[in-house]
Amino acid sequence: MPMPDLESVAANCARRGFNPEVVPDREAALRRVRELIPMGADVTNGSSVTLHETGIMAELETSRRWRWRRAEIYATTEPEKRVELRRWATTADYIVGSVNALAVTGEAVCLDAGGTRVGGYAYGAGQVIWVVGRNKITPTLTEAIERVRTYVFPLEDKRMRRDMGQPAFAGKLLLVEHEPLPDRIKLILVDEDLGY
């Protein structure tokens, strides 16, 4: 596929209530995330290679500007408490992450194992910030779903086996066609390839 015109994609996403903006690179994306999340906010995140590549994950793990809810999940080894905290994390003031595919027409597609990421995206979190590299854009919604199943999932499975010693699990597929709450979803389109 030829390189998508990010401004056209952004216009289509705006019609779907996603509040998009185009930034030139990963450094600009990190700066924008810092600007969008106020000091002291409760923040969680969805698993995302894009967050690692942009430095957003390192910011969440080390910054004292926000309350990072996942730190509390990682701090407990009690299985029932961990499930409770994962559910609680989906209701943070802010969730930051990415999507697995974004159609030129504006629909966003996300695959998740248990649902903590897509639960926050769909409804739980007060504000959603998606950071999406240009490589995730597909010509159609059908191709977006196909991308998730045949390209993204095998790469995630390989990563999980390497890093976690277990296979990936495709449990929930979320299609976001429109966000009815004004200003809830912020979409940062990055003119750079990020994640997979």
Side-chain angles (χ1 to χ4, degrees), residues 7-19:
E7 293 298 340
S8 295
V9 175
N12 291 333
C13 291
R15 284 190 281 278
R16 295 180 179 277
F18 296 166
N19 301 287

Side-chain angles (χ1 to χ4, degrees), residues 83-142:
V83 169
E84 179 186 324
L85 288 173
R86 286 169 58 90
R87 185 174 293 118
W88 166 74
T90 66
T91 64
D93 297 336
Y94 288 82
I95 186 168
V96 61
S98 191
V99 300
N100 300 117
L102 182 69
V104 165
T105 46
E107 301 96 332
V109 182
C110 310
L111 184 65
D112 203 356
T116 54
R117 178 169 78 132
V118 299
Y121 288 176
Y123 188 75
Q127 299 284 307
V128 178
I129 301 171
W130 287 330
V131 180
V132 180
R134 64 187 178 200
N135 54 308
K136 296 184 179 184
I137 298 170
T138 64
T140 67
L141 173 58
T142 300

Side-chain angles (χ1 to χ4, degrees), residues 111-115 118 153 168-173:
L111 184 65
D112 203 356
V118 299
F153 182 75
F169 174 71
K172 315 254 181 355
L173 184 68

Side-chain angles (χ1 to χ4, degrees), residues 103 138-148:
T138 64
T140 67
L141 173 58
T142 300
E143 288 168 279
I145 294 169
E146 184 71 11
R147 179 184 198 279
V148 172

